[in-house]
Amino acid sequence: KAGVTQTPRYLIKTRGQQVTLSCSPISGHRSVSWYQQTPGQGLQFLFEYFSETQRNKGNFPGRFSGRQFSNSRSEMNVSTLELGDSALYLCASSPAGLRETQYFGPGTRLLVL
Amino acid sequence: AQSVTQLGSHVSVSEGALVLLRCNYSSSVPPYLFWYVQYPNQGLQLLLKYTTGATLVKGINGFEAEFKKSETSFHLTKPSAHMSDAAEYFCAVSNAGGTSYGKLTFGQGTILTVHP
């Protein structure tokens, strides 16, 4: 089976812009989780989607949003980018988001200038 | 709420020496515990996981971890380090319940350096 894929791998934006990141889960996996990884805060949970519904959300401002499509692919959007949004954004998929192993993609590295 | 503490942000060992990476967790319910490894510019790869049952868990690349409920610990070990083990290691906990759907709570990570 193909692994989790994320596009793009690298992105440079300027403050105030918005960005959309994409994640394709492992075939058959219906749960997609998103994480932000920074040197200062480590790995932090953003949100989880299952069957096109957000079931869980971390402690991030409303500028961070996401969605999931009927084929389980997911996108996350960050509006009004701030310098502090520079990070590696990781998505992970699992069959149902019920404590099974999460399989991670390679991440999208976002740099905000 | 659950939390994970990894003792030691950097660990350095010689090739062939024992690797010991420490992880303590806090959880109000029986936890599921995971160790992931991250190589530079890559995502996270699962090394091993504990759900229920046998408390000594064996994973890939010769790593193993022991769940000790009384100590709330899940330390990762490998008898003999290899240069290719140099990476960052993350301990994570997953809880049950609606507020935990698809959520892993990670420790701050431990960077393992292996010297020749």
Side-chain angles (χ1 to χ4, degrees), chain B:
Chain B
Q2 63 269 31
S3 65
V4 177
T5 301
Q6 291 183 237
L7 300 174
S9 57
H10 290 81
V11 170
S12 181
V13 300
S14 298
E15 192 173 20
L18 171 72
V19 175
L20 171 60
L21 305 182
R22 300 178 187 274
C23 172
N24 287 90
Y25 69 91
S26 171
S27 175
S28 57
V29 298
Y32 282 19
L33 295 158
F34 304 81
W35 275 100
Y36 283 88
V37 61
Q38 185 178 35
Y39 297 98
N41 300 314
Q42 294 188 26
L44 277 67
Q45 178 184 6
L46 179 73
L47 281 176
L48 49 80
K49 66 179 178 181
Y50 169 79
T51 55
T52 59
T55 57
L56 183 62
V57 180
K58 295 186 184 298
I60 63 171
N61 301 338
F63 285 95
E64 63 183 35
E66 186 171 11
F67 171 65
K68 292 187 176 181
K69 183 179 179 180
S70 61
E71 299 177 9
T72 60
S73 69
F74 190 57
H75 302 330
L76 181 70
T77 60
K78 182 174 180 177
S80 176
H82 192 272
M83 297 295 289
S84 61
D85 295 328
E88 189 163 15
Y89 293 78
F90 293 93
C91 181
V93 64
S94 173
N95 277 353
T99 60
S100 299
Y101 288 131
K103 178 181 179 180
L104 289 171
T105 299
F106 286 90
Q108 285 296 102
T110 298
I111 295 173
L112 175 66
T113 303
V114 182
H115 297 286

Side-chain angles (χ1 to χ4, degrees), chain A residues 31 48 50 55 94-100 102, chain B residues 100-103:
Chain A
S31 171
E48 186 257 6
F50 177 81
R55 290 192 305 186
S94 68
L98 299 175
R99 312 181 80 184
E100 314 105 325
Q102 291 187 18
Chain B
S100 299
Y101 288 131
K103 178 181 179 180

Side-chain angles (χ1 to χ4, degrees), chain A residues 14 18 53 78 106 108:
Chain A
T14 57
Q18 75 165 10
T53 300
V78 187
T108 295

